[in-house]
Amino acid sequence: MLRQIKPRNARSKRALDKKAPKAIENPKTALFLRGTSCSQITQDAMTDLYSLRLPLAKKFTKKNDIHPFEDTSSLEFFSEKNDASILLFGSSNKKRPHAITLVRTFMYKVLDMLELNLDPESFRTLNQFKNKKCAVGLKPMLLFSGTPFESPVPNEYTLAKNFFIDFFKGEPADKVDVEGLQYIVCISARDTVDGEEAKPKLHLRVYLIKTKRSGQRLPRVEVEEMGPRMDFRVGRVREADESTMKEAIKRARTTAERPKKNISTDVVGDKMGRIHLGKQDLKELQTRKMKGLKRSRDMVDENGGIDDGEDIVSEDEPVQKSKRA
């Protein structure tokens, strides 16, 4: 259960109301931090991710003695101090070189974490691609390629997919301008092989979208790699608590009309409804009452015969003749 803070004065009450949950949340801010030992490759990678996240990003260059998987108090402090729900922590050591830890928070408490180890050989920075770059603040198109992202059971790859969707989501928009779709972020992972201990790598590529004349109504679309180019190995994982995750994904009830169950509209526009009935007992079905259908007409008598309403005369008894007048 999350701790509830009671305001002491009107100023603190206004500050808490500003941070309180809303029906439509504010865009998430990403905070970039570095540890006491952080390689130059990790710093360059975080700088490129920071440039893609602008303007909803903050970057600190000071060294911080933080160990995310051992103590999360420092991360929670930075999250609340800067009102950031997404944190990227860069570190490097002999056991886990070039590590970038992805952290998500809920109510300024750590929700889940995923550690990704950057491959220094295949890494290319944003400046190493000498071509045009996209404008700042544009939302990219996202493409996740690979069966590991479609697993019905939550794992490292589904967690990475959720994080990158939150990271590149940006500000909410009701309408999309085609001119604003200038680049696409592709994240792929190959299929898992039975008997292989090493997990598949995550390949992050960013492509610039170009439209050229095709002689028709629709233009010809081409893509050109813009950078950065990153390959990650999946490291340590800390999954979210079930109760906290359930509370984090809860949505507020709005004034919009909720869809009614078992009611749909067909192609013509007619409203179709589905009714669920229980098991019917045909014996209790109400029918027309007729004299010939009475139960007493076909009841079995004590001798096993059928009483059809006629008098049965015994052979031993004498037949009485009717008197003639």
Side-chain angles (χ1 to χ4, degrees), residues 282-295:
L282 299 179
K283 294 181 180 180
E284 298 179 357
L285 185 65
Q286 181 67 32
T287 58
R288 184 180 177 185
K289 295 182 179 180
M290 297 177 61
K291 190 174 182 180
L293 296 178
K294 287 185 177 180
R295 185 179 295 273

Side-chain angles (χ1 to χ4, degrees), residues 49 52 134 138-145 164 167-168 182-188 203-209 226-228:
L49 293 175
L52 294 177
C134 63
L138 295 180
K139 297 178 65 173
M141 292 184 288
L142 292 177
L143 173 62
F144 292 92
S145 176
F164 282 116
F167 184 80
F168 291 107
Q182 296 186 5
Y183 71 107
I184 179 173
V185 178
C186 177
I187 302 172
S188 60
H203 306 280
L204 188 145
R205 304 288 185 270
V206 183
Y207 299 97
L208 190 68
I209 299 176
M226 183 185 71

Side-chain angles (χ1 to χ4, degrees), residues 125-298:
T125 62
L126 194 65
N127 296 328
Q128 288 179 336
F129 293 88
K130 305 299 181 180
N131 54 4
K132 182 181 177 182
K133 310 300 179 184
C134 63
V136 177
L138 295 180
K139 297 178 65 173
M141 292 184 288
L142 292 177
L143 173 62
F144 292 92
S145 176
T147 55
F149 299 111
E150 302 174 359
S151 174
V153 181
N155 54 18
E156 301 90 344
Y157 299 95
T158 56
L159 180 59
K161 179 180 178 180
N162 292 336
F163 181 86
F164 282 116
I165 289 176
D166 282 346
F167 184 80
F168 291 107
K169 185 178 181 180
E171 297 183 0
D174 299 333
K175 298 181 181 179
V176 178
D177 188 5
V178 180
E179 296 294 333
L181 302 177
Q182 296 186 5
Y183 71 107
I184 179 173
V185 178
C186 177
I187 302 172
S188 60
R190 64 175 178 83
D191 299 341
T192 57
V193 180
D194 296 337
E196 186 179 6
E197 296 182 0
K199 297 179 181 179
K201 288 185 178 182
L202 291 175
H203 306 280
L204 188 145
R205 304 288 185 270
V206 183
Y207 299 97
L208 190 68
I209 299 176
K210 293 183 177 181
T211 55
K212 297 184 178 181
R213 294 182 179 180
S214 61
Q216 300 178 359
R217 183 178 179 182
L218 298 177
R220 183 165 57 92
V221 180
E222 295 182 356
V223 293
E224 181 182 1
E225 191 170 0
M226 183 185 71
R229 182 191 300 174
M230 302 180 186
D231 294 336
F232 298 104
R233 289 185 296 102
V234 179
R236 294 176 291 178
V237 181
R238 175 179 170 180
E239 296 182 354
D241 186 50
E242 185 177 355
S243 59
T244 309
M245 192 65 179
K246 185 178 180 180
E247 190 173 355
I249 62 177
K250 187 186 297 183
R251 291 188 178 183
R253 292 187 178 181
T254 58
T255 56
E257 184 180 358
R258 300 180 65 183
K260 297 181 180 180
K261 294 183 179 180
N262 301 325
I263 296 178
S264 59
T265 306
D266 58 2
V267 182
V268 184
D270 297 335
K271 185 180 290 187
M272 308 291 291
R274 179 181 296 178
I275 301 175
H276 298 274
L277 298 176
K279 186 177 180 181
Q280 295 182 349
D281 189 2
L282 299 179
K283 294 181 180 180
E284 298 179 357
L285 185 65
Q286 181 67 32
T287 58
R288 184 180 177 185
K289 295 182 179 180
M290 297 177 61
K291 190 174 182 180
L293 296 178
K294 287 185 177 180
R295 185 179 295 273
S296 60
R297 306 289 295 181
D298 52 356

Side-chain angles (χ1 to χ4, degrees), residues 17-82:
D17 292 340
K18 187 178 179 180
K19 296 180 179 180
K22 305 178 181 60
I24 300 176
E25 292 287 349
N26 299 328
K28 297 181 179 180
T29 302
L31 182 62
F32 292 78
L33 302 170
R34 57 166 297 183
T36 53
S37 60
C38 185
S39 63
Q40 187 62 38
I41 295 176
T42 307
Q43 297 182 39
D44 295 340
M46 295 184 64
T47 302
D48 292 344
L49 293 175
Y50 169 76
S51 61
L52 294 177
R53 178 65 182 179
L54 287 174
L56 301 174
K58 295 180 181 180
K59 184 181 178 182
F60 292 169
T61 57
K62 185 179 179 180
K63 298 180 180 180
N64 300 279
D65 188 10
I66 300 175
H67 302 279
F69 289 90
E70 298 175 6
D71 185 15
T72 60
S73 58
S74 299
L75 295 176
E76 294 171 355
F77 170 77
F78 281 112
S79 175
E80 185 174 3
K81 196 73 175 178
N82 299 275

